[in-house]
Amino acid sequence: MQEPAVTPTLVQSHGINESEYKLIEQILGRAPNYTELGIFSVMWSEHCSYKSSRIHLKTFPTKGPIVVQGPGENAGVIDIGDGWVAAFKMESHNHPSYIEPYQGAATGVGGILRDIFTMGARPIACMDSLRFGELDAPRMKYLVDGVVRGIGGYGNCMGIPTVGGETSFHRGYNGNILVNAFALGVTRKEKIFKGTASGVGNPVIYVGSKTGRDGIHGATMASAEFDEASEEKRPTVQVGDPFTEKLLLEACLEIMDTDAVVGIQDMGAAGLTSSSFEMAGRAGTGIRMHLDRVPMRESGMTPYEIMLSESQERMLIVAKRGREEDVVRIFSKWDLNAAVIGEVTDDGFVRLFWHGDEIAKIPVEPISTEAPVYNRPMQRPAYADRIALKLERDRVADAEMTASLLRLVASPNLCSKHWIWEQYDTTVRTNTIAAPEDRDAAIVRVKGTGRALAMTSDVNPVYCYLDPYEGGKQAVAEAARNIAASGGRPAAITDCLNFGSPERPEIMWQFAECIRGISDACMALDTPVVSGNVSFYNETEGKAIYPTPTVGMVGILEDEHHGAPLAFTDEKLDIILLGATFDELGGSEWQQQNMPDALAAPPLVDLERERKLISLLLALHENHLLRSAHDLSNGGLAVALAECSMDGIGCHVDLKGHADDLDAIALLYSESQARAVVTSNSPDDVLQRAKDAGVPAIRIGHTGAGVFLIERNGVPLVRTTTPELSRIWRSSFSLLLGGDTIDDVIRGVGEEAPEVLAH
């Protein structure tokens, strides 16, 4: 077997700098060969080694009474009661999805699902967090269509419901979209499996699809920014097969029900390389592998290609010695490949053989313990000095401004995304209690327990750009509000930290500040970080995305019947606003639509106020005092009331007595935090409990069929009808995708409003 000579040019092409190469020579005691160079390149890539983020990630709170498994395994695990646990994780598939949107998004779903069932948990729900550029930007409609079809194509075929998520649009993602995938599964506590290679002499077994050349250097590609040649990277995007993964899921869970398995690991980023080194590293052992025994679907593959391939639907299993036939038999029953390719050793090396010849020998521990760790320089960016404490604008007198609300409701960020989620199966397996747009968080039952799990994905990248610390706090706080408004107790988070190049000091400053904000919020709200992912180099031609630290939060409902929808349910219910409103329009949807070039500080996040509001919402749900509940976030109070009115029951609201010092724009569209709007048949009880909890509260109106009216001191600020409001909200996204403008969408509104409102 003839391998290329390792030259400085070849080393550089593998993303390894001069100092890292010298360290490799020290670890090996010699120069690496071609295969060994490839292994180091992926294991020391940013995507796999976290070399620029590790020192910051250590500040996360990761422990707590319900944490069963924190960061370091395939997924985090929390105790949800009565011997049941939930495993969940979020991962990025940004670069592949920009290059090839269908397969990039599809394999992102496949990879995160394998992370869950590798832990021994059956996946019961998926979410996705998507960031696109402006809809009229080059390729953007193609990317939206491909990503959505890819997510649906994989999740639907697997029979796992996609129950929630978020989708937003901003020019900052024109050159680099984000596709973050979340999955959650449940199992019994005693059935958790980990990715360890223990037991000297135990067989190492390859199972699943055959290995091909797709995905080679995928981890390395994810650790580099885009440039004009990015289209040439299309061959490094993996190709997924959800039908094979469904078989793999069932086969893995079946073999886990035996006592044959010692450890199991998904072959994700860096494929066979990462799975073998990580399993041996966790156990403090070594592994010997015969690569010519690996099932291959392409002829002429080399050891280098086999070790670096990221072909999908594959697992590495360490079984008990003597149980090899049991593993092979079960996987063969499911029509899957299974081959014994090696064994566990006690020498601390991963040793690779090719037709009997040893072709690579790398010590396991140093590849992780001596991997480069960079304390990158940080610098506050120059634009931060231009950010005003408050949005500078003219004060507006009270007057009707219905058009401004309708334009917001029709905007890509705030309109209904049913065009997206209707392409997903949201109810398969019959666990779904609340699907997308039913509540602030998705709810799935845990069958046989009477409990349910709430989950949501949140972050506001504009806030994070304007103030990364406050933006990091806000992502956690909003997720917790969404969980609590839906009836769940916030329990723990996973994260997907999407940023530009860590080699730029201003990006590292954003990263560190966001982590500081997330950490402070998680400690204040008692929601530890149990898993996560870092995605750097999200930039094109030197232009980075906005900092996007996506937070996926899971909450627990002790009773699956607790909680309430976000939409108004009946007429003549009292509407109560919880929380205080301030003039905080910096970074708001109103500001982005009306003053897009302004720079003003985002809303401040008072974690004590958030904690009090969350506790109050939970108490109100537990005492069955709420008919609906919806947190206030993007778009402010007016948009929240509109979202509550989309099922036909609207409202008549008078804001006299609430934030009287604010002008109409701030009153309607401020995005002050720690707020929610609820309805109740027992308003006095709600107001008293709010007072006792130290949460500002005021009755602002009542619900009514067909009408949507917001006024102050008798002056109408917004008035329209719920049918028109709903038509705009529900139809806008597909119309915008088809080339219509927001003005086209809202044209003709208001013609019947006076007649309806007169009644």
Coordinates of all heavy atoms in Angstrom, one line a residue, residues 294-353:
V294 N -13.5 -4.2 7.9 CA -14.6 -3.2 7.9 C -15.4 -3.4 6.6 O -14.9 -3.5 5.5 CB -14.0 -1.8 7.9 CG1 -15.2 -0.8 7.7 CG2 -13.3 -1.6 9.3
P295 N -16.7 -3.6 6.8 CA -17.6 -3.7 5.6 C -17.5 -2.4 4.8 O -17.7 -1.3 5.3 CB -19.0 -3.8 6.2 CG -18.8 -4.4 7.6 CD -17.5 -3.8 8.0
M296 N -17.2 -2.5 3.5 CA -17.0 -1.4 2.6 C -18.0 -1.5 1.4 O -18.2 -2.6 0.9 CB -15.6 -1.3 2.1 CG -14.6 -0.9 3.2 SD -12.9 -1.1 2.7 CE -12.5 -2.7 3.3
R297 N -18.5 -0.4 1.0 CA -19.4 -0.4 -0.2 C -18.7 0.1 -1.5 O -19.3 0.2 -2.5 CB -20.6 0.4 0.1 CG -20.5 1.9 0.2 CD -21.8 2.6 0.2 NE -21.7 4.1 0.2 CZ -21.8 4.8 1.3 NH1 -22.1 4.2 2.5 NH2 -21.7 6.1 1.3
E298 N -17.4 0.6 -1.3 CA -16.7 1.0 -2.5 C -15.4 0.3 -2.6 O -14.8 0.0 -1.6 CB -16.4 2.5 -2.4 CG -17.7 3.4 -2.4 CD -17.5 4.9 -2.4 OE1 -16.6 5.3 -3.2 OE2 -18.1 5.6 -1.6
S299 N -15.0 0.0 -3.8 CA -13.7 -0.7 -4.0 C -12.5 0.2 -3.9 O -12.6 1.4 -4.1 CB -13.7 -1.4 -5.3 OG -13.8 -0.5 -6.4
G300 N -11.4 -0.4 -3.5 CA -10.1 0.3 -3.5 C -10.0 1.3 -2.3 O -9.1 2.2 -2.4
M301 N -10.8 1.2 -1.3 CA -10.7 2.2 -0.2 C -9.4 1.9 0.6 O -9.0 0.8 0.8 CB -11.9 2.1 0.7 CG -13.2 2.6 0.1 SD -14.5 2.8 1.4 CE -13.9 4.3 2.3
T302 N -8.8 3.0 1.1 CA -7.6 2.9 1.8 C -7.9 3.0 3.3 O -8.9 3.5 3.7 CB -6.6 4.1 1.4 OG1 -7.2 5.3 1.8 CG2 -6.4 4.1 -0.1
P303 N -6.9 2.7 4.2 CA -7.1 2.8 5.6 C -7.4 4.3 6.0 O -8.2 4.6 6.9 CB -5.7 2.4 6.2 CG -5.2 1.4 5.2 CD -5.7 1.9 3.9
Y304 N -6.7 5.2 5.3 CA -7.0 6.6 5.6 C -8.5 7.0 5.3 O -9.1 7.6 6.2 CB -6.1 7.5 4.6 CG -6.3 9.0 4.7 CD1 -5.4 9.8 5.4 CD2 -7.3 9.6 3.9 CE1 -5.6 11.1 5.5 CE2 -7.4 11.0 4.0 CZ -6.6 11.7 4.7 OH -6.7 13.1 4.8
E305 N -9.0 6.5 4.2 CA -10.4 6.8 3.9 C -11.4 6.1 4.9 O -12.4 6.6 5.3 CB -10.7 6.4 2.5 CG -10.0 7.2 1.4 CD -10.1 6.6 0.0 OE1 -10.2 5.4 -0.1 OE2 -10.2 7.4 -0.9
I306 N -11.0 4.8 5.2 CA -11.9 4.1 6.2 C -12.0 4.8 7.5 O -13.0 4.9 8.1 CB -11.4 2.6 6.3 CG1 -11.5 1.9 5.0 CG2 -12.1 1.9 7.4 CD1 -10.8 0.6 4.9
M307 N -10.8 5.2 8.0 CA -10.8 5.9 9.3 C -11.5 7.2 9.3 O -12.0 7.6 10.4 CB -9.3 6.0 9.8 CG -8.7 4.7 10.2 SD -9.5 3.8 11.6 CE -9.2 4.9 13.0
L308 N -11.4 7.9 8.2 CA -12.0 9.3 8.2 C -13.4 9.4 7.6 O -14.0 10.5 7.6 CB -11.0 10.2 7.5 CG -10.0 10.9 8.4 CD1 -9.1 9.9 9.0 CD2 -9.1 11.9 7.6
S309 N -13.9 8.3 7.0 CA -15.2 8.4 6.4 C -16.2 8.7 7.5 O -16.2 8.3 8.6 CB -15.5 7.0 5.8 OG -16.9 7.0 5.4
E310 N -17.2 9.5 7.1 CA -18.4 9.8 8.0 C -19.6 9.3 7.4 O -20.7 9.9 7.5 CB -18.4 11.3 8.2 CG -17.3 11.9 9.0 CD -17.4 13.3 9.4 OE1 -18.4 13.9 9.2 OE2 -16.4 13.9 9.9
S311 N -19.5 8.1 6.7 CA -20.8 7.5 6.3 C -21.7 7.3 7.4 O -21.3 7.1 8.6 CB -20.4 6.1 5.7 OG -19.6 6.2 4.5
Q312 N -23.0 7.4 7.1 CA -24.0 7.4 8.2 C -24.5 6.0 8.6 O -24.1 5.0 8.0 CB -25.2 8.2 7.7 CG -24.9 9.7 7.4 CD -24.6 10.5 8.6 OE1 -25.5 10.8 9.4 NE2 -23.3 10.8 8.8
E313 N -25.3 6.0 9.7 CA -25.9 4.8 10.2 C -24.9 3.7 10.5 O -25.1 2.5 10.1 CB -26.9 4.3 9.1 CG -28.1 5.2 8.9 CD -27.9 6.2 7.8 OE1 -27.3 5.9 6.8 OE2 -28.3 7.4 8.0
R314 N -23.9 4.1 11.3 CA -22.9 3.1 11.8 C -22.7 3.3 13.3 O -22.8 4.3 13.8 CB -21.6 3.3 11.0 CG -21.7 3.2 9.5 CD -20.3 3.4 8.9 NE -19.8 4.7 9.2 CZ -18.5 5.0 9.2 NH1 -17.6 4.1 8.8 NH2 -18.0 6.2 9.5
M315 N -22.4 2.2 13.9 CA -22.0 2.1 15.3 C -20.8 1.3 15.6 O -20.5 0.3 14.8 CB -23.2 1.6 16.2 CG -24.4 2.4 16.2 SD -24.3 3.8 17.4 CE -26.0 4.4 17.4
L316 N -20.1 1.5 16.7 CA -19.0 0.7 17.1 C -19.4 0.1 18.5 O -19.8 0.9 19.4 CB -17.7 1.5 17.2 CG -16.4 0.7 17.3 CD1 -16.2 -0.1 16.0 CD2 -15.2 1.6 17.5
I317 N -19.4 -1.2 18.6 CA -19.8 -1.9 19.9 C -18.6 -2.6 20.4 O -17.9 -3.3 19.7 CB -21.0 -2.9 19.6 CG1 -22.2 -2.1 19.2 CG2 -21.2 -3.8 20.8 CD1 -23.4 -3.0 18.8
V318 N -18.5 -2.5 21.8 CA -17.6 -3.4 22.5 C -18.5 -4.4 23.2 O -19.3 -4.0 24.0 CB -16.7 -2.7 23.5 CG1 -15.9 -3.7 24.3 CG2 -15.7 -1.8 22.7
A319 N -18.3 -5.7 22.9 CA -19.2 -6.7 23.5 C -18.4 -7.6 24.5 O -17.1 -7.5 24.5 CB -19.7 -7.6 22.4
K320 N -19.1 -8.4 25.2 CA -18.4 -9.3 26.1 C -17.8 -10.4 25.3 O -18.3 -10.9 24.3 CB -19.4 -9.9 27.1 CG -19.9 -8.9 28.1 CD -20.8 -9.5 29.1 CE -21.3 -8.5 30.1 NZ -22.3 -9.1 31.1
R321 N -16.6 -10.8 25.7 CA -15.9 -11.9 25.0 C -16.8 -13.2 25.0 O -17.3 -13.5 26.0 CB -14.5 -12.2 25.6 CG -13.7 -13.2 24.9 CD -12.2 -13.1 25.2 NE -12.0 -12.8 26.6 CZ -10.8 -12.7 27.2 NH1 -9.7 -12.9 26.4 NH2 -10.7 -12.3 28.4
G322 N -16.9 -13.8 23.8 CA -17.8 -14.9 23.7 C -19.2 -14.6 23.3 O -20.0 -15.6 23.0
R323 N -19.5 -13.4 23.2 CA -20.9 -13.0 22.9 C -21.0 -12.4 21.4 O -22.0 -11.8 21.1 CB -21.5 -12.0 23.8 CG -21.5 -12.4 25.3 CD -22.4 -13.7 25.5 NE -23.8 -13.3 25.2 CZ -24.6 -12.8 26.0 NH1 -24.2 -12.4 27.3 NH2 -25.9 -12.5 25.7
E324 N -19.9 -12.6 20.7 CA -19.8 -12.0 19.4 C -21.0 -12.5 18.5 O -21.6 -11.7 17.7 CB -18.5 -12.3 18.7 CG -17.3 -11.8 19.4 CD -16.7 -12.8 20.4 OE1 -17.4 -13.6 20.9 OE2 -15.5 -12.7 20.6
E325 N -21.3 -13.8 18.6 CA -22.3 -14.4 17.7 C -23.7 -13.8 18.0 O -24.5 -13.6 17.1 CB -22.3 -15.9 17.8 CG -21.1 -16.6 17.2 CD -21.2 -18.1 17.3 OE1 -22.3 -18.6 17.6 OE2 -20.2 -18.8 16.9
D326 N -23.9 -13.5 19.3 CA -25.2 -12.9 19.6 C -25.4 -11.5 19.0 O -26.5 -11.2 18.5 CB -25.3 -12.7 21.2 CG -25.4 -14.0 21.9 OD1 -25.7 -15.0 21.3 OD2 -25.0 -14.1 23.1
V327 N -24.3 -10.7 19.0 CA -24.4 -9.4 18.4 C -24.6 -9.6 16.9 O -25.5 -8.9 16.3 CB -23.1 -8.6 18.7 CG1 -23.1 -7.3 17.9 CG2 -23.0 -8.4 20.2
V328 N -23.8 -10.4 16.2 CA -23.9 -10.6 14.8 C -25.3 -11.1 14.4 O -25.9 -10.7 13.4 CB -22.8 -11.5 14.3 CG1 -23.0 -11.8 12.8 CG2 -21.4 -10.9 14.5
R329 N -25.8 -12.0 15.2 CA -27.1 -12.6 14.9 C -28.2 -11.6 14.9 O -29.1 -11.5 14.0 CB -27.4 -13.8 15.9 CG -28.8 -14.4 15.7 CD -29.0 -15.5 16.7 NE -28.7 -15.1 18.0 CZ -29.5 -14.4 18.8 NH1 -30.7 -14.1 18.4 NH2 -29.1 -14.1 20.1
I330 N -28.2 -10.8 15.9 CA -29.3 -9.8 16.1 C -29.2 -8.7 14.9 O -30.2 -8.4 14.3 CB -29.3 -9.1 17.5 CG1 -29.7 -10.1 18.5 CG2 -30.1 -7.8 17.5 CD1 -29.7 -9.6 19.9
F331 N -28.0 -8.3 14.6 CA -27.9 -7.3 13.6 C -28.2 -7.9 12.2 O -28.8 -7.2 11.3 CB -26.5 -6.6 13.6 CG -26.5 -5.5 14.7 CD1 -26.1 -5.8 16.0 CD2 -26.8 -4.2 14.4 CE1 -26.1 -4.9 17.0 CE2 -26.8 -3.2 15.4 CZ -26.4 -3.6 16.7
S332 N -27.8 -9.1 12.0 CA -28.2 -9.8 10.8 C -29.7 -10.0 10.6 O -30.2 -9.8 9.5 CB -27.5 -11.2 10.7 OG -26.1 -11.0 10.7
K333 N -30.4 -10.2 11.7 CA -31.8 -10.3 11.7 C -32.5 -9.0 11.2 O -33.5 -9.1 10.5 CB -32.3 -10.6 13.1 CG -33.8 -10.9 13.1 CD -34.4 -11.0 14.5 CE -34.6 -9.6 15.1 NZ -35.3 -9.7 16.4
W334 N -31.8 -7.9 11.5 CA -32.3 -6.6 11.1 C -31.7 -6.2 9.7 O -31.8 -5.0 9.3 CB -32.1 -5.5 12.1 CG -32.9 -5.7 13.4 CD1 -32.6 -6.3 14.5 CD2 -34.3 -5.3 13.5 NE1 -33.7 -6.3 15.4 CE2 -34.7 -5.6 14.8 CE3 -35.2 -4.6 12.7 CZ2 -36.0 -5.3 15.3 CZ3 -36.5 -4.3 13.1 CH2 -36.9 -4.7 14.4
D335 N -31.1 -7.2 9.1 CA -30.5 -6.9 7.7 C -29.4 -5.9 7.7 O -29.3 -5.0 6.8 CB -31.6 -6.6 6.7 CG -31.2 -6.8 5.3 OD1 -30.3 -7.6 5.1 OD2 -31.7 -6.1 4.4
L336 N -28.6 -5.9 8.8 CA -27.5 -4.9 9.0 C -26.2 -5.6 9.0 O -26.1 -6.8 9.5 CB -27.7 -4.1 10.2 CG -28.9 -3.2 10.3 CD1 -29.1 -2.7 11.7 CD2 -28.7 -2.0 9.3
N337 N -25.2 -5.0 8.5 CA -23.8 -5.5 8.6 C -23.3 -5.6 10.1 O -23.6 -4.7 10.9 CB -22.8 -4.6 7.8 CG -23.2 -4.6 6.4 OD1 -23.0 -5.5 5.6 ND2 -23.7 -3.5 5.9
A338 N -22.6 -6.6 10.4 CA -22.0 -6.7 11.7 C -20.7 -7.5 11.5 O -20.7 -8.6 10.9 CB -22.9 -7.4 12.7
A339 N -19.6 -6.9 11.9 CA -18.3 -7.6 11.7 C -17.4 -7.3 12.9 O -17.2 -6.2 13.3 CB -17.6 -7.1 10.4
V340 N -16.7 -8.4 13.4 CA -15.7 -8.3 14.4 C -14.5 -7.7 13.8 O -13.9 -8.4 13.0 CB -15.5 -9.6 15.2 CG1 -14.4 -9.4 16.2 CG2 -16.8 -10.1 15.8
I341 N -14.1 -6.5 14.2 CA -12.9 -5.9 13.5 C -11.7 -5.7 14.4 O -10.7 -5.2 14.0 CB -13.3 -4.5 12.9 CG1 -13.7 -3.5 13.9 CG2 -14.4 -4.7 11.8 CD1 -13.8 -2.1 13.4
G342 N -11.9 -6.1 15.7 CA -10.7 -5.9 16.6 C -11.1 -6.3 18.0 O -12.1 -7.0 18.3
E343 N -10.2 -5.9 18.9 CA -10.4 -6.2 20.3 C -9.8 -5.1 21.2 O -9.0 -4.3 20.8 CB -9.8 -7.6 20.7 CG -8.3 -7.7 20.5 CD -7.9 -8.0 19.0 OE1 -8.7 -8.6 18.3 OE2 -6.8 -7.6 18.6
V344 N -10.3 -5.1 22.5 CA -9.8 -4.2 23.5 C -8.4 -4.7 24.0 O -8.2 -5.9 24.2 CB -10.8 -4.0 24.6 CG1 -10.2 -3.1 25.7 CG2 -12.1 -3.5 24.1
T345 N -7.5 -3.8 24.1 CA -6.1 -4.1 24.7 C -5.8 -3.3 25.9 O -6.6 -2.4 26.3 CB -5.1 -3.8 23.6 OG1 -5.0 -2.4 23.3 CG2 -5.4 -4.6 22.3
D346 N -4.7 -3.6 26.5 CA -4.3 -2.9 27.8 C -3.1 -2.0 27.5 O -2.5 -1.5 28.5 CB -4.1 -3.9 28.9 CG -2.9 -4.9 28.6 OD1 -2.4 -4.8 27.5 OD2 -2.6 -5.7 29.5
D347 N -2.7 -1.8 26.3 CA -1.4 -1.1 26.0 C -1.6 0.4 25.9 O -0.6 1.2 25.7 CB -0.7 -1.7 24.9 CG -1.5 -1.6 23.5 OD1 -2.5 -1.0 23.5 OD2 -1.0 -2.1 22.5
G348 N -2.9 0.9 25.8 CA -3.1 2.3 25.7 C -2.9 2.9 24.3 O -2.8 4.1 24.2
F349 N -2.9 2.0 23.3 CA -2.7 2.5 21.9 C -3.9 2.1 21.1 O -4.5 1.0 21.3 CB -1.5 1.9 21.3 CG -0.2 2.5 21.8 CD1 0.4 2.1 22.9 CD2 0.4 3.5 21.0 CE1 1.6 2.6 23.4 CE2 1.6 4.1 21.5 CZ 2.2 3.6 22.7
V350 N -4.2 2.9 20.1 CA -5.1 2.4 19.0 C -4.1 2.0 17.9 O -3.3 2.8 17.4 CB -6.0 3.5 18.5 CG1 -6.6 3.1 17.1 CG2 -7.1 3.8 19.5
R351 N -4.1 0.7 17.6 CA -3.2 0.1 16.6 C -4.1 -0.4 15.4 O -5.1 -1.1 15.6 CB -2.4 -1.0 17.2 CG -1.6 -0.6 18.4 CD -0.9 -1.7 19.1 NE 0.1 -2.4 18.2 CZ 0.8 -3.4 18.6 NH1 0.6 -4.0 19.8 NH2 1.7 -4.0 17.8
L352 N -3.7 0.0 14.2 CA -4.5 -0.3 13.0 C -3.7 -1.2 12.1 O -2.5 -1.0 11.9 CB -4.8 1.0 12.3 CG -5.5 2.1 13.0 CD1 -5.7 3.3 12.1 CD2 -6.8 1.6 13.6
F353 N -4.4 -2.2 11.6 CA -3.7 -3.2 10.8 C -4.4 -3.3 9.4 O -5.7 -3.1 9.3 CB -3.8 -4.6 11.4 CG -2.9 -4.7 12.7 CD1 -3.4 -4.2 13.9 CD2 -1.6 -5.2 12.6 CE1 -2.6 -4.3 15.0 CE2 -0.8 -5.3 13.8 CZ -1.3 -4.8 15.0

